[in-house]
Amino acid sequence: MGFDLRQVVAGILTITMFVMLGQMLHRDYFDSLQEKAQGDAQDIEFEGSKVAVKDGLVGTVEGNSKGPWMEDNTDLNPCWPTLLSDEAVSSKGYVTFSLTNGPEYHISQITDAVMVAKHLGATLVLPDIRGSKPGDERSFEDIYDADKLIKSLENVVKVVQQLPEEVSLRNMAIVKVPTRVTEDYIKEHIVPIFKSKGNIRVASYFPSVNLRKSSQDGETDPVACLAMFGSLELQPEVNAVAESMVERLRTHSRKSGGRFIAVDLRIDVLEKKNCHTTGVGGSKTCYNAQEIALFLRKLGFASDTTIYLTQPRWDSSLNILKDIFPKTFTKEAIMPASKRSKYLESESSEYENAIDFYISSRSDVFIPAISGLFYANTVGKRIALGKPQVLVPAEISETSGLATDFISPYISKKNHLAYSCFC
């Protein structure tokens, strides 16, 4: 008896889908924030297609081959400018620090150091950037815009390029501070050390990678808001490279109006987290290429959708994603050839990490295949830019395939720290 090859392939895909859904049914949410959006959905007609509107976000139900894209939200504006004092006050003391572990950490480290310097009345020294390997150091200006940082903070804290020669790093007290450090913590734990030593070196530690604002938190300090969302930008050359890559992705996306998806999916992290199985208690905090591909197709994204992956280089495990979405790219495919030797062939990954964060913050849709601080701070930057389209992978039942059902709880519940800084 002969076999119909199309039926065999269809059967394999069906089995794969049910295996994936079976795994998802026995897990917790993507992270502690992964809860369904509140509010009732309603169907409306939009540009000739039936769509669902939920919490102000638009998602395709049927009839639109372009996929369940959503609109930007430009209604939010920074709240902090009217709350800041007119002039920075600095003492003779200095606060130094370093940036480590990538841009998702840099944002928090900058914010903590600015908070400490401001509430001590100290002068902040521009940080260096340190990689994961010994001796892997860069100047701040290699990646970020020093003039922008100094100018943006001029009414908050004085920032200098380097320590005076008469001040030695060896004599500085190293002070560890919890990220999202508060004025009360600074007064109680850091002021006495600063008064005793005169100069300190700050090192942030991360009790949590959660950036949710809880009901127990007070009002977010406007200084922290400025430091987190208004001070750190890529230096012009790096910014130009990242922006050229965004434009290349949009060129590939002409059929969908220039829109593209960014997925934070890194093979080395997936392997460490053992993402092919559920974790303790059935929880799942990351998704592989196959699961992301099925998630996107179930939501209704067309096969010609353009996708950017944060994975540094192409890996064979990504082939299944490219089979379903042929316009799937990693950096080497869309970076200008003249820039690859500098930005892709360096032993340090700092350039690549900064570019990933830039593109993920500006894509039309962002999907975190991995939970963590990159996800949390990317969401914060997207809120600041008016791009709330963040879809968190989760179970899709036969009766629910709307993109709006998978909006990040940071967005749907408006409980991200960023919502305290924009109004």
Side-chain angles (χ1 to χ4, degrees):
M1 181 175 64
F3 292 94
D4 188 328
L5 181 59
R6 290 174 297 179
Q7 292 180 341
V8 173
V9 172
I12 292 173
L13 289 176
T14 300
I15 292 171
T16 301
M17 175 73 79
F18 278 109
V19 169
M20 186 196 79
L21 293 179
Q23 291 176 340
M24 290 180 175
L25 285 171
H26 295 286
R27 67 165 180 80
D28 293 333
Y29 288 109
F30 183 74
D31 55 32
S32 61
L33 301 178
Q34 181 59 26
E35 299 174 21
K36 294 294 178 68
Q38 300 298 309
D40 295 326
Q42 54 181 327
D43 294 346
I44 64 171
E45 292 295 320
F46 180 72
E47 295 185 351
S49 300
K50 191 177 181 182
V51 301
V53 177
K54 191 171 185 179
D55 293 330
L57 298 169
V58 180
T60 298
V61 175
E62 59 183 19
N64 188 349
S65 62
K66 294 182 179 180
W69 303 99
M70 306 170 204
E71 301 301 320
D72 287 351
N73 177 8
T74 57
D75 295 337
L76 297 177
N77 295 293
C79 302
W80 64 81
T82 59
L83 302 176
L84 297 173
S85 59
D86 295 332
E87 185 177 354
V89 178
S90 60
S91 69
K92 294 180 180 179
Y94 293 88
V95 171
T96 69
F97 67 112
S98 293
L99 300 181
T100 61
N101 299 322
E104 66 270 33
Y105 287 86
H106 297 173
I107 293 171
S108 298
Q109 290 161 346
I110 284 279
T111 303
D112 295 337
V114 170
M115 282 285 290
V116 170
K118 168 63 178 179
H119 293 294
L120 292 180
T123 297
L124 186 66
V125 181
L126 210 63
D128 60 356
I129 300 174
R130 301 188 179 186
S132 57
K133 300 178 181 178
D136 183 6
E137 296 183 13
R138 294 183 180 274
S139 69
F140 183 83
E141 296 95 326
D142 283 346
I143 296 179
Y144 296 112
D145 190 331
D147 291 337
K148 162 67 177 179
L149 180 78
I150 294 171
K151 179 68 175 177
S152 66
L153 296 175
E154 64 182 356
N155 292 331
V156 174
V157 63
K158 182 180 179 181
V159 182
V160 296
Q161 296 275 356
Q162 57 187 13
L163 278 171
E165 292 183 0
E166 64 271 17
V167 179
S168 173
L169 282 172
R170 294 180 179 179
N171 298 326
M172 284 196 174
I174 299 176
V175 180
K176 293 185 177 181
V177 301
T179 191
R180 297 172 63 177
V181 64
T182 64
E183 182 178 1
D184 288 342
Y185 183 95
I186 293 169
K187 288 180 178 179
E188 182 178 354
H189 299 282
I190 304 178
V191 167
I193 300 174
F194 183 71
K195 287 182 176 180
S196 173
K197 298 293 185 179
N199 305 294
I200 62 172
R201 182 170 180 79
V202 171
S204 297
Y205 66 92
F206 292 78
S208 170
V209 294
N210 189 321
L211 292 184
R212 179 177 59 184
K213 179 176 172 59
S214 72
S215 58
Q216 297 177 348
D217 293 334
E219 291 298 318
T220 302
D221 194 308
V223 172
C225 288
L226 170 62
M228 183 172 287
F229 299 109
S231 68
L232 198 61
E233 291 184 2
L234 297 179
Q235 56 100 325
E237 181 183 334
V238 181
N239 190 89
V241 171
E243 187 57 33
S244 72
M245 295 169 69
V246 169
E247 290 306 311
R248 182 76 62 86
L249 290 164
R250 296 203 184 284
T251 298
H252 283 292
S253 309
R254 289 173 182 169
K255 289 186 178 180
S256 58
R259 293 170 292 196
F260 71 95
I261 298 171
V263 181
D264 180 29
L265 190 158
R266 289 162 280 159
I267 302 302
D268 61 331
V269 178
L270 296 182
E271 290 175 347
K272 291 176 183 177
K273 288 178 174 283
N274 192 22
C275 291
H276 297 284
T277 59
T278 55
V280 176
S283 62
K284 190 170 179 66
T285 59
C286 52
Y287 293 83
N288 60 35
Q290 175 178 305
E291 292 167 326
I292 292 297
L294 293 173
F295 175 70
L296 293 175
R297 286 298 284 156
K298 187 66 176 178
L299 288 181
F301 284 100
S303 60
D304 64 353
T305 298
T306 299
I307 299 174
Y308 173 80
L309 302 178
T310 57
Q311 165 66 15
R313 304 292 182 277
W314 193 262
D315 184 88
S316 60
S317 65
L318 303 174
N319 289 346
I320 188 170
L321 181 55
K322 198 172 185 70
D323 288 344
I324 298 175
F325 296 97
K327 295 181 181 179
T328 298
F329 304 99
T330 51
K331 298 174 195 65
E332 73 270 23
I334 59 171
M335 181 177 286
S338 61
K339 301 296 182 181
R340 291 172 192 165
S341 60
K342 177 177 180 178
Y343 293 101
L344 295 185
E345 297 173 11
S346 169
E347 293 184 1
S348 171
S349 61
E350 295 300 329
Y351 283 129
E352 296 186 47
N353 293 340
I355 289 170
D356 283 337
F357 188 80
Y358 183 94
I359 295 176
S360 297
S361 299
R362 289 159 177 79
S363 62
D364 297 276
V365 173
F366 173 62
I367 296 179
I370 307 162
S371 64
L373 198 59
F374 188 95
Y375 158 51
N377 265 323
T378 298
V379 173
K381 186 66 174 179
R382 293 181 67 90
I383 292 170
L385 294 172
K387 290 184 170 294
Q389 308 93 321
V390 179
L391 305 180
V392 176
E395 173 200 351
I396 300 181
S397 68
E398 293 299 323
T399 58
S400 175
L402 299 180
T404 47
D405 289 333
F406 301 93
I407 292 292
S408 166
Y410 278 134
I411 303 292
S412 64
K413 292 183 175 296
K414 290 183 168 55
N415 62 12
H416 193 285
L417 186 64
Y419 284 110
S420 300
C421 297
F422 293 85
C423 51

